[in-house]
Amino acid sequence: MDACFHTRAFIRSETDLDYRLYLIELAFEYIEESENVVLSRQFNESEVNCIGTIPPRYLKIPKPKMLSILKHVQEQGIFLGKWRYQPEFRLTKNNIFIIVEIVMPSTDVNDWKLEIQTDLLMLNIKDKLLPTSLFSRINVHHKDNKALFYKKSKHLVVWLVLGENRINPEFARTQYI
């Protein structure tokens, strides 16, 4: 059987032998699970990368826009009981703020805490930590950062100032609400 790997994984495996063995073991395990067989761990690596000629292929990769990056960052949704955690992201027109909107499970603000790091927003609800990666670094200590909770609609709206990549990690954590 043959195994194909992503180019980046292959390049890393050329210099990192432990990583190469890890990839080979993953290939064995995948075949064993999909075919319901037990394989011996004896293998050989062919010196031939390809048999025959590979036709030229052209791949155009568009540069992602900020809003498309935001769509990839959004969670699929995490359920806690009947409540679904699914933050929504928006950017202001001038690309200064990222706005994160979360529908909360209750109006009791004592049930949850919101923590913000330079590239992470963490919501702790009844000792269940729900981390959300942000697509860009933010300036945690900016005076215009704010978190507003609207009890009537149960919406938590967090306004965060996009920052520079040079933020001191020692001061990277601030807690709101």
Side-chain angles (χ1 to χ4, degrees):
M1 292 201 130
D2 294 332
C4 298
F5 296 100
H6 191 277
T7 307
R8 289 184 185 161
F10 178 75
I11 290 171
R12 179 176 170 191
S13 72
E14 288 181 324
T15 57
D16 188 351
L17 296 179
D18 289 334
Y19 187 69
R20 179 184 297 182
L21 290 174
Y22 170 72
L23 290 176
I24 292 168
E25 181 63 28
L26 278 179
F28 276 120
E29 287 178 5
Y30 175 76
I31 293 167
E32 287 177 339
E33 282 184 21
S34 63
E35 301 295 325
N36 293 324
V37 294
V38 177
L39 300 174
S40 72
R41 294 302 191 249
Q42 294 177 347
F43 64 92
N44 63 2
E45 296 178 55
S46 174
E47 295 295 324
V48 179
N49 288 335
C50 177
I51 298 173
T53 60
I54 299 175
R57 296 181 192 151
Y58 298 99
L59 178 64
K60 182 177 180 183
I61 301 174
K63 291 184 179 180
K65 298 192 179 196
M66 280 210 173
L67 291 178
S68 65
I69 293 172
L70 287 176
K71 290 177 186 174
H72 293 292
V73 171
Q74 286 185 346
E75 302 278 333
Q76 294 296 325
I78 299 171
F79 288 92
L80 289 176
K82 293 182 179 181
W83 175 72
R84 182 178 184 175
Y85 174 68
Q86 188 168 10
E88 295 180 17
F89 299 88
R90 291 187 315 238
L91 281 174
T92 55
K93 288 183 180 179
N94 53 9
N95 289 339
I96 294 177
F97 288 97
I98 180 172
I99 303 168
V100 184
E101 186 176 321
I102 306 167
V103 178
M104 300 301 290
S106 70
T107 57
D108 188 6
V109 295
N110 295 320
D111 287 348
W112 47 270
K113 293 179 185 173
L114 177 68
E115 295 184 32
I116 299 171
Q117 294 182 5
T118 55
D119 57 353
L120 194 66
L121 181 127
M122 292 186 297
L123 189 60
N124 190 340
I125 298 178
K126 297 180 181 175
D127 297 325
K128 172 85 173 166
L129 188 62
L130 305 169
T132 303
S133 296
L134 299 172
F135 71 95
S136 177
R137 289 192 167 289
I138 58 163
N139 185 346
V140 176
H141 298 291
H142 199 280
K143 63 181 172 109
D144 292 331
N145 288 342
K146 59 186 170 185
L148 304 172
F149 180 61
Y150 299 96
K151 282 190 175 184
K152 204 173 215 179
S153 65
K154 297 183 187 176
H155 280 83
L156 174 66
V157 182
V158 183
W159 290 67
L160 302 168
V161 176
L162 293 172
E164 299 175 15
N165 292 333
R166 299 179 306 266
I167 297 177
N168 187 348
E170 184 179 330
F171 301 105
R173 186 177 217 152
T174 302
Q175 183 169 323
Y176 293 94
I177 299 182

